[in-house]
Each structure stands twice: as structure tokens, then as C-alpha cells.
Amino acid sequence: MVLIENGNVHFPKGETKKVDILIEGDKIVKLGEKISVDAEHIDASGCEVFAGFILPATSVGVYNYADLAHPDSEEKSTPVNPDLHVRYSLDPAEVKLQGYERHGVTAFGAVPGDPALIAGQIGVYHTSGRTAAEMAVSEDVALKVNFIPSVKRTFASRDVMPMTRMGMASMLRNELKKASLKKEDDASYDPGRDVLCRVLNKELPILCNVRERFDIETILGIQKEFGFKLILMGAYQADSLQEKLKEAGVSVLLGDLIDGSLVTYFDADIPALLKMSKKVLTAFSNNGSGYEGLLWSAEKAVRNGLKVERAIDMLTINTADILGVGDKTGSIEAGKYADISIWDGHPLKTYDAHIKVCMTAGKIWRAEQ
Amino acid sequence: MSMHIKDAMIYDMEGNAPFKGDIYIEDGKIAQIGTDLKVCADEVIDAAGLVALPGFVDAHSHLGGFHMLNYDECDFNEMTDPVTADVCAIDGCNIQDKCFMDACKGGVTTMCITPGSGNPIAGLAFIAKTAGKDDIHELVMKNPSALKLAFGMNPIGVYGKKNRMPMTRMGVIKVMRDAFHEAKTYMEKKEAAGGDAAKMPDYDGKLEAISLALSHQIPLKIHCEQFDMITAIELAKEFDCEYTIEHAWGAEFYLPELKEGGGAVNYGPVGVPTGYGELTHANIAEVKMLEEEGIHVSIMTDAPITMPELIYIQAGEAVRRGLSHESALKMITINPAKTLHVDDRVGSIKAGKDGDIVLFDGVPALEVAAGVKYTIVEGSIVYRR
């Protein structure tokens, strides 16, 4: 057992309490004032204690940087791949290399890349572990769809569909339509169709990668037709459609706010996106950068006027709720994974705040001093 | 035109502790610094509660030459020959590119803009202000300012695909060395001609460009990571060239050689995923290790590969990793100004220097919420939030 003592513990919605946290194995078992127990003690006096930050969508860890010419995150032999699962490309060694602990990032959404229309299923994993199974928080998270220009660019060069937006939308519709026509007694082997049936039954959301307003409008139209659960990622102009997103129950993983190419060329209105986050469930993400990118996006939001407490929620509980793992991680609560970071200051207030300890599913990492 | 910035907390980067005061800029130059200046200015900025710093200096960028969403419009990599020493970044730099406003938003007022790293000998870089005029030529401080070289995976990736030299690191240094020797011979022939046009070698633009570095008129600006740094220093030494090490990921393993070599390091950008080879050691904590060894180091952004504002975010990240705040600010102001040999004009707030000031609503690289309120280039406001 491990006891984190005397820390200033941060809970959702800006609540803070001086409580001790008792951890057994990979879980938090008890919170309370002055817990007295025979355990390994971590003194968090004068420190800020947060739930582990969650990087919601990245291909880092599934990319295979050892062989840049053949990324394992990009199956682009065909545009439609609902039955692929990212777990088979997840390289725990590549995840380890990132050193996510340095920013208190304890879990991440592993996501197939951008070239295919239906790219495959995503999983949420801890940032530390020996195998995908050992790292898995949940492997039943969402199906990734790309509705961005990389898809048409990939297939246009081969002279096959889809080479236009029309083609992309039509293919997605046809796949969903075919799945919806599956007869109840049809037990034939068609794993891709079965995944799409789960999407249609609202058991598995679609995580749709979009860029501009135009992309969002099209995917919202398709969602209206078929009624699946929808999460948007990279939605740089989502603020302009916030009423519709709210109405359709769509949540948003913001695009990388420090990625100049996208923020700049899509004229992302960051204050407006942050205002949207009051209406629409929203979290921070980044575009496959290093361990720093997630916190940097949150920092930029703070510079644009977001309250630090809300920024912390958008790194933790909002992210967990969007990815459907809010019962397992995203806040410091008995029964959840021991995903915790301890800092000697508030990292969204001052750069002079240094991480001391990062705990990932109970595994302790300590900063070198 | 004159400007009076009143009651700012001034970080002058001249070694003084931060102090509250006024800055008076006249005809684009800082004329006076002091408290309660009695001046009559055309424009007055009430900077009470704001922090004044010299405009940031980014020693390595590709602004205006890489269009990040349309790679067909990348004008900074002339990848038709491994040696394109005579191409000039300024001719590929589109000042209308949206990224230039990003520089102002990020408080960056001076940049060294360089060709990409697709070729071992890539071309000529220049130094310019980031705003204030709508013609890039009018913003130039120095052109050419350096000869850009590139080691490692970038040129290897380009020519490897074409089955042309260089496909390997062995090939990269050979291409450079051969070209340098050729330029040396060319210079000797010119010298021997003694002004006699009949004895002059045929004009060769590439060799002329390399000659600029060999004759100490401009330094080498060398893209390199990991053990390529050693090769870069060897080449610079062999031809007695001034050099800077650009990117420098993995510098912590070559501190003795970097120190002995004497070249400055322009470090960054970080925030990239960690992979293998060159991608193994992008670690902002390395700037502290370099500084402790007495190596002159600056933090750069590689904009628009990363946003120009990353210059002060990376400085903050370095503080988070243990660097002193004072050093972090130096690495984005006076240090790069010295490296680029433009510290007579920019890099600190000092009477006589250019009126390039950035006003923050907090202390950058320390307070996370601190953002740019005003960016001022030569006494004109180029960005206001």
C-alpha cells in the first residue's frame, strides 16, 4: 500500500481538499484526513496533487518510429477498415520512450492515423506498462473516422474512390447503411460490419477527425441520419456550430492549440472555442507531438483567459468522460485507478512548478533531482 | 515618430534586475530609459502592470517559405541538387504568409530565416524584422547572414530515394567536403588572377556562396543532431569557418566537443515525439547542461514547423526543467542576438538599440498566463491584443 500524505488534492470543478490518498495495487482505495496505516509514505506537504492528465488522441506509441517509412498507425491499403484495432500496433516501448511522466500524463487514447476514411478502433491505455493488455484502461472506446483532406489525397493518387468529399461522405453512408440492413439471424463472418452495427446501436461512438466547419457540417448530417454517438477531434472551427453540437450531444477533443499550421490557416478562434466548452463537453488534445504538447495546449487556453480549474478538468475528467472511461480514471476517487501527479506548484500557474511524482496505475515514477 | 512606454516593469536583458520605468523611442531607436521621463511623444502606452522585454530573437526559422497545409508551396527546399549554396531564402520568403502575424503574436521581432534542410549545402539565410513593412527586402537586417548546411536524415531521405549521393552520413560529409575544396581552389584561382579578368576562373555562383563562409564573411549554420554534431565541428575546423549548431538534439552527449569547438548552439524545437536515431533526445533540459558548460546557447522555434510563440513557451518549459528564469529569457533575447551578430541593434533594451519591445501582461517563461499585449517594432505597434 502507498499513502500520499498532506497534499493539496485537486478534484473536478476546482474543488481542493487537504486529504490523504491510500493506494493499494493499481487502485485508489480510500481518501480521508490523516489516514493512519502501515504503508509506503509519499510526503506531499506543500504540493499540488492532480488526477493524471489524459492525452485523448495520439498516434505516438502506434506509429513505429523505428521504421519511419512504414508507420504502423496508417493502414491505407483500403479506405474502409472498421475491424482494425489499434491494440495490435501499440508498442509499449515506444510509449515508454516518450517519458509522459514528466508532465503527469498517465493515460492516452491510441488512435490510428489519418489516411483512411474509416481508420480503425481506438483504445485508452496507461502510459506505462509491458503489454497493451497490461496498459489497457479500455479497449472498447470508439471507431476512428477521418473526414479530412488526407483521405482524398491518399486515394486520389491511386485513382480510386474517394478522391472527393462527396466520395468520402458517400462511402461512409454506404458502409453504415449496409450494416443497418444486417438481418438478425445473419451470423456470417463480417467483423467490419459487426463493428459498424455496434456504432449504429450506440454501443461504440465514432471519433471523427475534422478540421474546418465544412467537415463538421457534413459529419453532423450523417450523424443525424444514422443516430450514432459522435466525438469530434481537431475541430478548429467547432465554435461556429456549437448550438448544433450541443443539440446532437456531440463532445469535442480540441485540436492542438499550439500547432501553428492548423490554428493559423483555419483561423481558429481560441477564445470562442473556450467559450464553447461551457456548453459542449470539451477536452484538450494535441496532434501527435511529444510529452509536452498536451500541457502546452492547456497553457495556451489559460493565456486566452480560461480559468486554471476548468483547464485542469479539460485535461482529466472531461477527457475521461468523453472517452467513456470516467468510471476508471480522470479524477482522484476511491475505486478508480491510482493515476496521480504531484507537483511542488501549480503547473498551469507557474513554470516554476516541478513535478515530483507521477503515479500510473499505482506504479511510482519520481523526478530526478 | 516617437513613442513613450510608461510605467512598465522592464527586463532590459542588460544584466540589471527588473525595474519599473519608462522607455522612450524616437525615430525607431530607443532614445531614453528611466523613471518618469519628461518627454512629449506622438504615442503613449500606459504600461502600468505590464512587463517590457526586448522583442524576441528567433535564430532559426523558415517563416514564409513553408506553407504547412500545402507542401507544393514549399519554396525553401530546392532539392534538385545536393549543393545549392547560391539559393537565397529571401527569394522564397512570402511575407504575405499568415505565419508572419504569428511571429508578432508571439513577440518575435527578429528572425534568422533560412532555407530548409533537404540539401547538404542548402543555401543562404538572412536576418530580418518580422513586421513593420510590407516588403521583405525593407525588413532585412543582414543578407546573406549564413550558409545553411544540413546533416542527417533530411538530405539522406531526399537523395536516398533518388539513389543519388548522399544516401548515407558518409555521403553527406563527402558532398560537403568536396564542395568546400572546390570553393577553396576557386578562391585561390581568383586570388592568383590578381584582378586580371583573363586569368579569372569561370564564374560559379555556388562556389561564390561557399566562399563567403570560407572567407569568414558569414558563418555556417549547421542543421545537425546527435553524433552529426561531431562531424559538423570537424568540417568547420578543417576549413576554419565560424559555425553555429542548429537543433542540437542530444547535445548532452557531446558537451566537451561543443565547448572545444566554440560555436554557438541554437537549440530546438522541442515538443516532438521521441523516436529513434535523431528523434531520441529532443529534451529542453539540454539547454541547461549546455549553459553549465559555458556554451553560448539560444532557444529557437523552427517556425512555422512550430509556432513562433513557442519561443517563450519553450523558455518556460526549460524553467520547468530546472533552468533559471534569467537564463531562459537570455536564451530568447540577447543570446540569439549575439549569435546572429545583431546585438548592436536588438536583443536588449538599451539606449541606441532598435525600438523593438514586447509588452506582456505578466512575466513570460514564469507565469503561465502571461501573454503578449503589444509587439512593437522600431517604435511602431505591429500587434495589440
Side-chain angles (χ1 to χ4, degrees):
Chain A
M1 286 196 288
V2 177
L3 186 68
I4 300 173
E5 286 182 306
N6 297 322
N8 186 37
V9 182
H10 291 249
F11 296 94
K13 298 193 190 325
E15 194 194 339
T16 60
K17 271 189 284 193
K18 275 250 156 55
V19 287
D20 297 347
I21 306 165
L22 184 65
I23 292 127
E24 193 171 358
D26 59 358
K27 300 277 175 14
I28 298 165
V29 290
K30 192 177 165 187
L31 300 179
E33 282 172 40
K34 304 231 179 308
I35 296 176
S36 176
V37 67
D38 186 19
E40 180 184 344
H41 289 237
I42 294 177
D43 181 12
S45 305
C47 289
E48 308 294 328
V49 181
F50 299 94
F53 302 144
I54 305 168
L55 170 57
T58 182
S59 295
V60 178
V62 297
Y63 192 87
N64 188 16
Y65 284 97
D67 185 5
L68 291 169
H70 304 98
D72 263 329
S73 54
E74 302 190 346
E75 182 67 43
K76 50 188 176 183
S77 49
T78 69
V80 176
N81 305 283
D83 50 334
L84 298 185
H85 198 292
V86 79
R87 82 167 68 111
Y88 302 107
S89 285
L90 182 73
D91 178 1
E94 186 169 303
V95 177
K96 182 96 198 129
L97 269 182
Q98 307 310 316
Y100 284 119
E101 294 89 351
R102 289 175 283 181
H103 271 191
V105 177
T106 57
F108 70 106
V111 176
D114 295 349
L117 177 66
I118 301 180
Q121 298 161 66
I122 83 170
V124 175
Y125 298 90
H126 279 120
T127 48
S128 173
R130 202 172 47 85
T131 64
E134 218 173 87
M135 293 159 77
V137 177
S138 171
E139 295 191 309
D140 194 30
V141 175
L143 176 66
K144 191 193 183 204
V145 169
N146 289 307
F147 211 84
I148 54 177
S150 56
V151 176
K152 57 181 187 181
R153 268 192 227 123
T154 303
F155 296 97
S157 61
R158 302 178 201 170
D159 214 7
V160 297
M161 196 172 178
M163 66 177 292
T164 59
R165 282 170 175 273
M166 302 184 293
M168 285 160 60
S170 162
M171 274 187 117
L172 183 57
R173 260 199 205 95
N174 284 337
E175 293 298 323
L176 289 165
K177 188 72 193 169
K178 276 188 276 176
S180 76
L181 296 172
K182 180 195 168 192
K183 297 205 174 65
E184 262 187 42
D185 59 349
D186 182 355
S188 59
Y189 180 75
D190 190 344
R193 174 201 60 190
D194 294 348
V195 168
L196 292 170
C197 285
R198 298 193 60 229
V199 167
L200 294 169
N201 293 337
K202 299 190 172 64
E203 293 163 33
L204 191 68
I206 281 182
L207 173 67
C208 190
N209 193 8
V210 292
R211 292 279 182 264
E212 51 192 316
R213 181 183 165 131
F214 189 9
D215 308 332
I216 303 172
E217 285 171 340
T218 311
I219 195 73
L220 273 178
I222 297 173
Q223 190 238 7
K224 212 167 181 181
E225 233 171 284
F226 292 93
F228 47 82
K229 281 201 267 184
L230 179 62
I231 307 164
L232 298 179
M233 64 178 275
Y236 286 93
Q237 297 174 350
D239 53 293
S240 63
L241 289 165
Q242 52 188 291
E243 292 303 331
K244 283 183 179 165
L245 295 178
K246 191 184 172 192
E247 201 185 306
V250 176
S251 50
V252 175
L253 302 175
L254 290 176
D256 194 332
L257 302 184
I258 47 119
D259 183 324
S261 53
L262 298 171
V263 169
T264 305
Y265 291 113
F266 292 131
D267 296 313
D269 182 343
I270 292 172
L273 284 165
L274 296 172
K275 216 169 152 197
M276 173 192 79
S277 72
K278 289 183 181 166
K279 272 189 201 153
V280 174
L281 187 60
T282 306
F284 295 120
S285 189
N286 74 44
N287 297 340
S289 59
Y291 73 96
E292 303 99 325
L294 180 64
L295 212 45
W296 285 358
S297 272
E299 289 168 16
K300 179 141 178 184
V302 169
R303 276 198 295 283
N304 278 275
L306 187 73
K307 289 206 162 64
V308 289
E309 295 79 14
R310 291 208 30 239
I312 292 289
D313 285 352
M314 288 167 69
L315 291 167
T316 54
I317 190 67
N318 287 17
T319 323
D321 284 343
I322 290 170
L323 296 173
V325 293
D327 57 333
K328 292 179 173 150
T329 187
S331 63
I332 295 176
E333 205 181 306
K336 289 194 180 183
Y337 279 115
D339 295 343
I340 295 167
S341 66
I342 305 174
W343 302 68
D344 66 4
H346 196 308
L348 290 183
K349 289 183 180 168
T350 173
Y351 286 109
D352 199 20
H354 312 280
I355 191 162
K356 297 287 171 195
V357 173
C358 181
M359 190 182 274
T360 307
K363 281 195 285 286
I364 298 170
W365 170 93
R366 289 174 202 272
E368 302 160 25
Q369 287 307 325
Chain B
M1 273 297 290
S2 57
M3 176 184 275
H4 184 188
I5 301 168
K6 287 177 78 162
D7 296 325
M9 182 58 72
I10 300 172
Y11 284 66
D12 67 1
M13 305 319 296
E14 280 285 320
N16 298 310
F19 58 95
K20 200 162 181 191
D22 297 3
I23 302 165
Y24 178 63
I25 302 169
E26 201 169 23
D27 298 325
K29 298 277 181 193
I30 297 169
Q32 290 183 60
I33 304 156
T35 42
D36 292 321
L37 291 181
K38 298 283 176 280
V39 289
C40 183
D42 300 322
E43 189 158 18
V44 179
I45 296 177
D46 176 8
L50 300 183
V51 169
L53 286 139
F56 299 144
V57 180
D58 191 342
H60 184 120
S61 109
H62 308 287
L63 218 63
F66 287 169
H67 191 291
M68 297 304 289
L69 296 186
N70 183 356
Y71 290 92
D72 297 339
E73 283 184 36
C74 285
D75 267 325
F76 271 180
N77 276 314
E78 178 61 47
M79 296 176 287
T80 47
D81 190 279
V83 179
T84 53
D86 54 336
V87 303
C88 303
I90 195 167
D91 298 323
C93 181
N94 178 8
I95 196 177
Q96 303 304 327
D97 190 288
K98 279 183 169 183
C99 290
F100 270 94
M101 189 33 90
D102 284 346
C104 300
K105 288 180 183 170
V108 179
T109 54
T110 299
M111 271 185 169
C112 178
I113 301 180
T114 168
S117 45
N119 292 339
I121 304 184
L124 296 166
F126 69 106
I127 302 167
K129 295 292 173 69
T130 55
K133 309 261 170 56
D134 54 13
D135 180 340
I136 189 75
H137 301 87
E138 292 174 26
L139 293 172
V140 165
M141 299 171 74
K142 214 168 207 177
N143 180 37
S145 71
L147 178 65
K148 171 79 185 294
L149 308 186
F151 281 93
M153 283 319 294
N154 289 30
I156 293 170
V158 171
Y159 293 96
K161 276 188 213 125
K162 303 181 187 189
N163 280 322
R164 265 179 85 180
M165 189 176 272
M167 303 179 73
T168 60
R169 288 186 151 81
M170 304 181 286
V172 172
I173 181 66
K174 179 188 158 54
V175 165
M176 289 177 182
R177 194 173 261 142
D178 286 355
F180 277 33
H181 269 289
E182 206 184 332
K184 214 172 157 187
T185 310
Y186 181 77
M187 285 164 74
E188 284 161 9
K189 280 185 189 159
K190 275 173 73 175
E191 174 102 33
D196 181 351
K199 290 182 184 159
M200 282 286 275
D202 288 344
Y203 179 83
D204 187 318
K206 289 179 185 181
L207 300 180
E208 291 282 346
I210 297 170
S211 302
L212 295 173
L214 297 184
S215 59
H216 308 108
Q217 295 177 61
I218 56 173
L220 302 172
K221 192 172 186 67
I222 315 180
H223 167 120
C224 54
E225 286 93 9
Q226 51 171 4
F227 59 90
D228 287 332
M229 281 176 232
I230 303 292
T231 319
I233 294 169
E234 182 182 311
L235 179 78
K237 220 173 178 178
E238 191 176 320
F239 289 91
D240 186 29
C241 293
E242 185 192 340
Y243 70 93
T244 58
I245 297 289
E246 309 286 317
H247 303 297
W249 298 342
E252 63 188 277
F253 303 106
Y254 310 103
L255 294 173
E257 289 80 4
L258 287 165
K259 189 176 180 179
E260 206 258 315
V265 171
N266 294 324
Y267 194 90
V270 298
V272 295
T274 306
Y276 302 86
E278 290 179 7
L279 283 173
T280 319
H281 289 288
N283 177 3
I284 197 69
E286 289 189 325
V287 297
K288 184 170 180 242
M289 302 177 209
L290 286 160
E291 188 197 46
E292 283 167 358
E293 280 300 310
I295 296 160
H296 189 75
V297 54
S298 307
I299 293 171
M300 55 91 145
T301 70
D302 213 10
I305 306 298
T306 70
M307 282 188 109
E309 71 175 318
L310 246 76
I311 199 159
Y312 69 84
I313 298 173
Q314 291 182 101
E317 191 63 39
V319 170
R320 188 178 270 156
R321 298 293 302 281
L323 184 70
S324 77
H325 180 244
E326 191 190 347
S327 294
L329 291 182
K330 278 186 185 168
M331 288 182 192
I332 60 178
T333 55
I334 189 66
N335 285 12
K338 284 181 177 165
T339 299
L340 297 175
H341 304 304
V342 289
D343 54 314
D344 58 326
R345 285 186 59 185
V346 300
S348 65
I349 300 178
K350 187 182 173 189
K353 286 200 181 188
D354 291 2
D356 298 352
I357 307 287
V358 55
L359 295 172
F360 272 83
D361 57 359
V363 185
L366 185 62
E367 295 166 10
V368 173
V372 176
K373 291 289 276 186
Y374 291 88
T375 303
I376 296 154
V377 173
E378 296 178 14
S380 299
I381 296 171
V382 295
Y383 171 71
R384 177 193 307 218
R385 179 169 63 108

